[in-house]
Structure formats: C-alpha cells, structure tokens
C-alpha cells in the first residue's frame, strides 16, 4: 500500500509545515515515510528541523542526482533512540533558486515521476501557499489530500475552499479538452464548445446564471440527456472527497463558526452539495509547538517525559499514544503488532458524513470528538489524526483519500476514462 498524501492550505501561515512534519514523523512509526518539501522557494522544513542536509532538490534538479539519493534522515541528537529511523526528508534548496522555486511543467513532471518511485510506504508533500500549478498539479485527482485551516484566520478557510474549486475545475478542463475521447464524430466539436462555455459560466463567479457544478450538471443533462459521459462527469464531481485538519483549535463553537461552517458553505455554494467532507481532527494552539519549531526540534521529537528504550514498544511514547487511541477513541482492540492484518474501523469513523450535504453532521462530529478528546494535548492531537488518516488510507478504496501515485496532466484523461469501456 503506497500512498502519497498532500498537505495544502490555500493561504499561508496556517500551520501546513508544522502539521506535515509531525504527521510524517508519526506516520513513520507505522511504515517508512518520506516528507518532501515542495515549498521550494522558502525551504521551511529545513529551517524547522535541525538536520545536516547533504543533498536536496538542488542536487536533483541541477546535478541530476536521483531523488532517492537526496534523502536526509534524522541526526542522532534529534532521535537518540532511533524511534524515527523510518522517517526521511527531501529538503528544498538552501536558498531560493528561481527555476526550482517556480518549477515549469517539465520540472514538475520530472519531480512527480521521481516522487512516484521513492522507496516509501507513505510520502507526505508539504505544499506552498497559493493555488498555482506547483500546488494544483501535485494534488490528488479524486480528493483534496489534507487541507489545513484554522479558526484563527477565517480568510484562510475560504482559500482552502478555493483549492478544492481550482482542483476540480482544472480536472474538468482537462477531461473536457479538445482531445477528450468524449467528443467524437461530427457532433464532437459542438459538444466541446457547449461544455466549455458552461464551464466558463460556472467558473465566473461574477455571473449568476450557473452558481455551482450542480447547476452545470443539470444544464448538461438538459442539453445532452442521460449519456454515458454525462454520468462519468457526475461521478468525478460526486465522488470527490474533502479532508481537513483544524490547526490552532480553540473550542467547538469558534471552530464551527469561523472555520467549518464557512468552509462547507463555500463548497456547497460554489462547487456542489454532494461532496463528502471529513474532519480528521484538530491541533490545539500551544506555544510549545512554536517553541519546538524555533528550536528546530518538532514537537513530536520532544522527549515526552516518559522513558523510552529502543525496540521497547510498550515504552515508546508515540506508539503508546497511537495504541491507546486505537483502543479508546476508535473503539478498536489495542494492536499487538502494527503489521497485523488490517481490521475495519467502525463505519462512522470512516465515513462520518452523509452524502447529501457536505455540512450535514459536521457540528455533531465536532462535538462528539470534543467529548472524547477535549482535553487532549498537542502530541495526542497528532497521534489521533495520524491514526484516523492511517485507517482511511488502509480501509478506503485507493484514490478515496491520498493517492497511489502522482498523475501528470497529460495522463489525466486516460486516468479518468481509461477504466471505462468505450473510452480507450
Ligand atoms: N498549533 C500551533 N500552536 C502554536 N503555534 C503554531 C501552531 N501551528 C503552527 N504554529 C506556528 O504558526 C506559524 C506558521 O506555521 P507554519 O510555518 O507551519 O505554517 P505554514 O502554513 O506552513 O506557513 P507557510 O504558508 O508560510 O508555508 C509558525 O510560526 C508555527 O510555529
Ligand atoms: Mg510552510
């Protein structure tokens, strides 16, 4: 099971890098994990992690060093007991280099192929803020990856919604481009024009005619009937899953009012009623998190006060937290061995929401999580999110959450239609 999980936010400064580092560290306790710094202009991960870096993306791009030889592992002073020996990092260049910071299409394709070949079970991508191609190209096709936003910055919540929108529109533009196998025969050219005119109208938020993709799909139905490919496009939109983490959590009401409700409403109004939204959990605001970053020793690498010896799982603080969560929160028996065959997580923990409305049930989920997790500290927050993410990665069909491989733009059509008979 290889999975690539993106961490994105739309707006900057909400805690993507903090989350990505600690999430990758926690995942590495389950299976080999590589964290890739795709914020290639600011090299923020290397500034948050006190490791000596021999090779980074500079060597990959300029010296043609294979990506798997650009891996950095933790120094002994950060991980004296080797608890995180399954963690590795691909750092961005030490200083910004224009061509690497802005990555043109060829550079992106080359890096995508290399990431797809990395020797890791989990690959976590820390993306930069913004919505340009260096962000969108790396996002999964059928879900949002992990979006981070915070009740502290309401504007960032809307930017997170815009990521979902940009991602879906970019995908639909490619699916509906002139070379699409959908547009065949004499009618093909006209159909292509019709669909793209409608997409222009939905994308243009200043026009009121077609507010969201649901209206677009209705119009398509009205114009073209119930054809096989209208159904295919409905599948693209309706099966799209949105996953998010709330950083700097400060209570149920404020998180609901400032973050989750505006986010879900934005998705409903500008995209569709039928997206599934999944809350993976939250991280409380804690000065220890920031101090740890400043000391370049991420919070999960801080000694937790409990003794831990190499190889002694019962005393490994991170694994103990993970194990306890399995038992307490997810209602699962504590795993004797993490390599044991997968069990199914309770249904309501996997698909927390109905499919009718992205917002339905969200407040209840938040309250329920708060009842069981309200007093949890930062480290437990990370453990909880990691455990939930791991269950989703393991139990859901591939492509529902995260992605088995990055798909370059020229392969998207084949990816969407390749499996459907008649479109080859
Ligand atoms: N839970 C938290 N509690 C306290 N401080 C936090 C928390 N999460 C992040 N921070 C602090 O907030 C600031 C922004 O975090 P971070 O750099 O991870 O965000 P980002 O989204 O990656 O930013 P950018 O868009 O610039 O890449 C940092 O100073 C970090 O130490
Ligand atoms: Mg960052």
């Amino acid at each position: 099971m290889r999975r690539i999980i993106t961490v994105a936010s739309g707006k900057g400064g909400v805690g993507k890098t903090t989350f990505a580092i600690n999430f990758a560290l926690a995942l590495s306790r389950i299976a080999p994990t590589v964290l890739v710094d795709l914020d290639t202009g600011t090299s923020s991960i290397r500034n948050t992690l006190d490791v000596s870096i021999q090779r980074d993306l500079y060597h990959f791009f300029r010296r043609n060093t294979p990506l798997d030889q650009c891996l950095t592992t933790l120094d002994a002073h950060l991980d004296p007991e080797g608890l995180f020996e399954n963690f590795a990092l691909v750092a961005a260049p030490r200083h910004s280099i224009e061509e690497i910071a802005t990555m043109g299409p060829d550079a992106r394709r080359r890096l995508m192929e290399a990431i797809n070949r990395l020797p890791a079970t989990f690959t976590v991508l820390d993306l930069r803020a913004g919505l340009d191609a260096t962000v969108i190209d790396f996002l999964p096709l059928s879900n949002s990856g992990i979006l981070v936003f915070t009740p502290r910055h309401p504007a960032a919540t809307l930017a997170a919604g815009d990521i979902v929108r940009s991602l879906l529109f970019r995908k639909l533009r490619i699916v509906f481009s002139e070379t699409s196998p959908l547009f065949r025969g004499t009618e093909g050219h006209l159909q292509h024009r019709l669909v793209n005119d409608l997409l222009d109208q939905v994308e243009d938020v200043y026009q009121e005619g077609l507010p969201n993709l649901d209206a677009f799909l209705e119009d398509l139905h009205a114009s073209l009937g119930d054809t096989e490919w209208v159904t295919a496009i409905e599948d693209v939109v309706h099966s799209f899953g949105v996953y998010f983490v709330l950083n700097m959590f400060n209570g149920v009401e404020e998180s609901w009012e400032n973050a989750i409700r505006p986010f879900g409403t934005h998705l409903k109004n500008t995209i569709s009623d039928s997206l599934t939204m999944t809350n993976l959990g939250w991280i409380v605001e804690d000065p220890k998190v920031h101090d740890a970053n400043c000391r370049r020793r991420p919070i999960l690498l801080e000694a937790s006060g409990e003794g831990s010896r190499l190889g002694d799982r019962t005393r490994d603080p991170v694994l103990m937290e993970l194990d306890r969560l399995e038992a307490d929160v997810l209602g699962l028996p504590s795993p004797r061995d993490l390599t044991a065959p997968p069990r199914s997580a309770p249904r309501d923990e996997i698909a927390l929401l109905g499919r009718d409305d992205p917002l339905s049930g969200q407040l209840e989920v938040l309250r329920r999580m708060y009842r069981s997790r309200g007093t949890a500290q930062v480290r437990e927050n990370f453990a909880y999110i990691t455990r939930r993410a791991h269950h989703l990665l393991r139990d859901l069909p591939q492509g529902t959450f995260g992605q088995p491989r990055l798909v370059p733009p020229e392969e998207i059509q084949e990816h969407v239609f390749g499996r459907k008979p008649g479109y080859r």
Side-chain angles (χ1 to χ4, degrees):
M1 180 189 67
R2 273 175 55 81
R3 291 287 184 272
I4 299 168
I5 310 117
T6 53
V7 178
S9 75
K11 252 203 166 23
V14 299
K16 287 180 296 301
T17 300
T18 305
F19 173 74
I21 293 177
N22 288 291
F23 178 59
L25 284 167
L27 276 180
S28 78
R29 301 298 296 130
I30 299 169
T33 301
V34 175
L35 170 65
V36 185
D37 189 351
L38 288 184
D39 192 354
T40 47
T42 65
S43 56
S44 50
I45 290 179
R46 62 193 299 154
N47 294 327
T48 318
L49 206 50
D50 185 17
V51 282
S52 54
I53 293 164
Q54 304 303 322
R55 295 194 198 90
D56 56 32
L57 286 176
Y58 166 86
H59 300 84
F60 173 75
F61 280 115
R62 287 279 179 90
R63 302 274 176 88
N64 280 324
T65 309
L67 197 63
D68 61 3
Q69 289 174 31
C70 299
L71 298 176
T72 301
T73 50
L74 295 184
D75 295 342
H77 74 282
L78 282 183
D79 183 23
E81 298 172 49
L83 295 176
F84 296 93
E85 58 192 6
N86 273 333
F87 171 87
L89 153 77
V90 176
R94 206 175 324 151
H95 298 290
S96 180
I97 296 171
E98 172 72 15
E99 116 203 5
I100 301 177
T102 50
M103 267 195 280
D106 289 343
R108 293 200 295 274
R109 193 172 304 116
R110 222 187 113 202
L111 183 55
M112 282 182 176
E113 281 166 10
I115 289 174
N116 285 340
R117 287 196 302 268
L118 278 175
T121 304
F122 302 121
T123 305
V124 177
L125 308 182
D126 179 28
L127 296 173
R128 72 178 61 171
L131 295 167
D132 59 31
T134 57
V135 172
I136 302 289
D137 269 6
F138 289 89
L139 291 168
L141 293 172
S142 46
N143 65 82
S144 66
I146 297 182
L147 299 176
V148 179
F149 51 86
T150 162
R152 296 276 166 187
H153 302 296
T157 305
L158 294 184
D162 278 342
I163 277 215
V164 179
R165 208 172 164 270
S166 302
L167 173 55
L168 265 169
F169 273 96
R170 184 167 156 79
K171 184 174 174 188
L172 289 172
R173 291 282 181 197
I174 294 173
V175 168
F176 285 130
S177 70
E178 231 163 348
T179 58
S180 169
L182 292 170
F183 305 124
R184 286 168 302 194
T186 46
E187 300 277 282
H189 182 65
L190 277 176
Q191 287 178 340
H192 168 257
R193 278 268 310 278
L194 170 83
V195 170
N196 279 276
D197 285 351
L198 287 177
L199 270 180
D200 287 343
Q201 285 182 47
V202 198
E203 206 170 10
D204 182 348
V205 289
Y206 295 89
Q207 284 193 34
E208 283 173 6
L210 285 179
N212 65 12
L213 286 172
D214 291 338
F216 160 81
L217 289 169
E218 258 173 46
D219 263 33
L220 266 191
H221 249 125
S223 316
L224 302 168
D226 206 3
T227 66
E228 188 185 0
W229 64 270
V230 172
T231 314
I233 298 319
E234 282 174 339
D235 283 352
V236 170
V237 177
H238 293 161
S239 62
F240 196 89
V242 177
Y243 299 84
F244 66 93
V245 161
L246 286 177
N247 190 23
M248 307 191 213
F249 177 82
N250 51 2
V252 168
E253 291 313 315
E254 197 172 339
S255 296
W256 169 248
E257 290 300 335
N258 285 352
I260 298 177
R261 186 159 68 167
F263 179 64
T265 307
H266 183 47
L267 296 186
K268 266 169 69 129
N269 291 347
T270 67
I271 306 173
S272 169
D273 260 0
S274 329
L275 304 174
T276 321
M277 235 166 81
T278 304
N279 182 346
L280 293 173
W282 65 71
I283 299 136
V284 293
E285 183 165 23
D286 187 335
K288 286 204 289 282
V289 174
H290 184 64
D291 289 352
N293 286 345
C294 292
R295 277 184 285 112
R296 302 175 69 206
R297 179 186 277 271
I299 190 87
L300 281 200
L301 295 180
E302 296 281 0
S304 74
E306 299 168 64
S308 57
R309 281 191 292 108
L310 180 64
D312 183 351
R313 285 195 57 241
T314 58
R315 302 189 59 148
D316 172 345
V318 176
L319 276 185
M320 272 167 61
E321 275 163 16
L322 290 173
D323 285 358
R324 201 158 40 72
L325 283 164
E326 285 246 303
D328 297 355
V329 182
L330 302 182
L332 299 173
S334 192
R336 275 187 304 278
D337 181 353
L338 285 171
T339 58
R343 292 171 309 269
S344 288
R347 231 192 113 56
D348 68 336
E349 285 287 344
I350 292 173
L352 283 161
L353 299 168
R355 301 195 58 83
D356 308 338
D357 177 334
L359 267 178
S360 69
Q362 284 290 340
L363 184 57
E364 184 45 38
V365 166
L366 197 61
R367 287 196 174 122
R368 197 149 34 101
M369 280 183 176
Y370 194 72
R371 274 199 293 276
S372 58
R373 313 288 312 139
T375 57
Q377 305 292 304
V378 171
R379 293 166 59 93
E380 294 168 285
N381 293 161
F382 277 111
Y384 176 74
I385 293 169
T386 305
R387 211 31 145 193
R388 287 212 55 206
H390 182 226
H391 277 294
L392 297 175
L393 292 166
R394 201 183 55 184
D395 296 344
L396 296 183
Q398 77 174 27
T400 314
F401 173 52
Q403 49 192 333
R405 61 184 284 275
L406 301 173
V407 181
E410 62 274 13
E411 287 178 33
I412 288 180
Q413 280 188 359
E414 192 192 323
H415 189 87
V416 173
F417 299 117
R419 284 160 292 162
K420 302 234 174 230
Y423 289 118
R424 272 216 184 269

